[in-house]
Amino acid sequence: MKVGIIGCGAIANIITTSIISEENDIDIAYFFDKDIERAENIASLAGGVAVLDFEDMLDDVDLVLECASPASVKQLAPIVLEKGIDMIVMSIGAFMDKDFFTEVLKIAKDNGAKIHLPSGAVVGLDGIKAVAKFGLKEVNLVTRKSPKSLGKDIGTEEVLFEGKASDAVKEFPLNINVAATISLACNRDIDVKIIVDPNVDRNVHEITAKGDFGEFKTITMNYPCAANPKTSMLAALSAIRLLKSFNETISVGM
């Protein structure tokens, strides 16, 4: 499988380094970033090619991995999918725009392409997906982050946001992809609270789900990426796991 990457920041570097360190059938061959130097640096590491125009990779890849931003997804995903090329999208918040989601879903279906959304920085999505249509009544996410990860300079705990996921991803487009991921998993606009807490050094996500099946709660306490405190290491690791799963004979979980 030949892969092209859009966005050559912290997540792309973690994914690329992990994939090239092992024997597998995944060839990360092309790299695109608005900062061509970043693309060239990671391409040199992987023995790949940095492209000035991302469309230059599309005739020679089986899959495109987006690690850039919601804005990049909205601009570039339709072009990729129109060519019948599968995508892994990390900036899942872009899909909280219902009109855009409907548009790319139709493009993908019409051209035989698939869109893969990694579980990202949370655990428990398998359970949420399992009960989504079987009496799920309530899903809540409480996210707690350090001031540094949110670009804040405060000394006391503060609730920055309380409302629906669709509004959270607009206000914090680079920080709260998890809200979009959970919402898409259960097909509802979940309730979200975002807390900035100077007493934490991790990105903490607490999911509570209640319904006819009972109730479950997951707490994920992620160390942020050293290169980008807005991003959790688990987000990159989930994409690595997804990439490797495409070549596996047995699939465990959902």
Side-chain angles (χ1 to χ4, degrees):
M1 177 173 60
K2 189 170 285 190
V3 179
I5 291 183
I6 295 173
C8 297
I11 288 183
N13 273 274
I14 294 168
I15 294 169
T16 301
T17 301
S18 176
I19 293 298
I20 66 174
S21 68
E22 301 178 7
E23 286 190 15
N24 52 60
D25 295 326
I26 304 168
D27 177 15
I28 303 185
Y30 294 94
F31 300 87
F32 170 76
D33 195 285
K34 290 181 179 179
D35 182 342
I36 187 61
E37 186 175 346
R38 292 208 308 180
E40 288 172 343
N41 288 340
I42 192 170
S44 176
L45 174 70
V49 177
V51 294
L52 289 170
D53 184 340
F54 97 100
E55 291 193 53
D56 289 344
M57 71 171 73
L58 298 185
D59 289 333
D60 194 37
V61 296
D62 305 298
L63 181 142
V64 170
L65 169 59
E66 176 276 324
C67 304
S69 67
S72 294
V73 176
K74 289 190 172 184
Q75 178 185 358
L76 305 180
I79 299 171
V80 175
L81 298 169
E82 281 174 356
K83 288 185 171 290
I85 300 170
D86 294 351
M87 284 194 76
I88 293 177
V89 175
M90 300 298 296
S91 305
I92 297 173
F95 294 129
M96 292 303 289
D97 180 332
K98 291 184 178 180
D99 291 338
F100 176 71
F101 181 78
T102 300
E103 175 193 352
V104 294
L105 194 62
K106 183 178 187 306
I107 292 171
K109 286 182 176 180
D110 288 348
N111 293 280
K114 292 185 177 181
I115 304 168
H116 304 278
L117 307 180
S119 56
V122 292
V123 298
L125 283 188
D126 53 346
I128 290 175
K129 288 167 63 179
V131 302
K133 295 183 179 180
F134 295 94
L136 179 62
K137 291 186 170 66
E138 178 184 330
V139 183
N140 298 294
L141 168 68
V142 178
T143 287
R144 189 179 295 269
K145 293 193 174 190
S146 70
K148 181 180 179 182
S149 70
L150 288 166
K152 301 290 183 179
D153 183 17
I154 62 174
T156 58
E157 179 181 315
E158 181 182 333
V159 176
L160 292 183
F161 176 88
E162 193 163 7
K164 292 297 183 181
S166 57
D167 294 320
V169 298
K170 292 175 185 176
E171 197 163 334
F172 301 91
L174 301 179
N175 296 91
I176 200 67
N177 273 308
V178 293
T181 304
I182 299 165
S183 292
L184 290 170
C186 63
N187 194 30
R188 66 177 64 197
D189 199 357
I190 68 166
D191 294 310
V192 177
K193 180 186 288 187
I194 302 173
I195 301 170
V196 58
D197 186 346
N199 297 310
V200 301
D201 61 353
R202 308 186 196 184
N203 298 327
V204 182
H205 304 292
E206 181 177 314
I207 305 169
T208 303
K210 300 178 182 180
D212 295 342
F213 62 91
E215 177 179 350
F216 66 78
K217 178 179 290 187
T218 70
I219 300 177
T220 311
M221 303 174 69
N222 298 312
Y223 285 115
C225 291
N228 182 1
K230 296 179 181 179
T231 299
S232 298
M233 274 293 295
L234 185 57
L237 297 179
S238 72
I240 293 167
R241 179 66 257 167
L242 177 58
L243 273 169
K244 292 179 178 179
S245 73
F246 295 146
N247 291 326
E248 293 177 345
T249 304
I250 298 177
S251 177
V252 180
M254 297 169 55

